[in-house]
């Protein structure tokens, strides 16, 4: 099972990759544009974890682009953001995200949420 982590903070990407890498194959990208390019090159992750605030293409736009593309629209998405507003959560869910977690987060909770989404999909 492959997971794509999209976050411009490399330390966080590495932490997530290290933790989830025990159970999954993890690829990291530092912005939404790089992630879209990677997907268009034929890479197909089983799940995407994305931040919202990134350069070049933010998480909102990334979710929108993924869900608009028939080929990728079934990939579950977890948003991992320091933005803790109800409006941001609602917007992400409306755009098609499956889950939303606020940083700082418990890595064990993230793993459980990932496991649950991947069992369902």
């Amino acid at each position: 099972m492959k997971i794509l982590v999209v976050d411009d903070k490399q330390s966080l990407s590495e932490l997530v990759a290290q933790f989830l890498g025990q159970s999954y194959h993890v690829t990291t990208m530092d912005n939404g544009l790089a992630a879209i390019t990677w997907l268009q090159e034929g890479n197909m992750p089983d799940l995407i974890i994305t931040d919202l605030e990134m350069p070049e293409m933010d998480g909102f736009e990334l979710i929108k682009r993924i869900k608009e593309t028939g080929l990728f629209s079934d990939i579950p998405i977890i948003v991992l953001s320091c933005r803790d507003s109800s409006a941001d959560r609602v917007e992400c869910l409306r755009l098609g995200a499956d889950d939303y977690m606020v940083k700082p987060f418990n890595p064990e909770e993230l793993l459980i949420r990932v496991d649950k989404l991947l069992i369902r999909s």
Side-chain angles (χ1 to χ4, degrees), residues 27-98:
T27 301
T28 60
M29 298 280 152
D30 60 7
N31 68 65
L33 199 57
I36 289 289
T37 304
W38 184 80
L39 290 167
Q40 289 170 339
E41 288 167 355
N43 297 291
M44 186 65 89
D46 297 289
L47 180 119
I48 297 170
I49 297 172
T50 184
D51 187 17
L52 291 178
E53 296 173 13
M54 300 178 287
E56 296 190 58
M57 182 190 294
D58 69 14
F60 294 109
E61 183 64 23
L62 176 62
I63 296 166
K64 205 167 120 209
R65 296 273 289 276
I66 289 169
K67 293 303 177 180
E68 281 172 354
T69 310
L71 192 59
F72 308 125
S73 60
D74 290 339
I75 301 171
I77 299 173
I78 296 177
V79 174
L80 194 55
S81 174
C82 34
R83 294 167 69 157
D84 192 14
S85 84
S86 180
D88 287 333
R89 288 172 186 259
V90 167
E91 178 66 5
C92 288
L93 294 169
R94 195 181 61 71
L95 289 171
D98 297 271

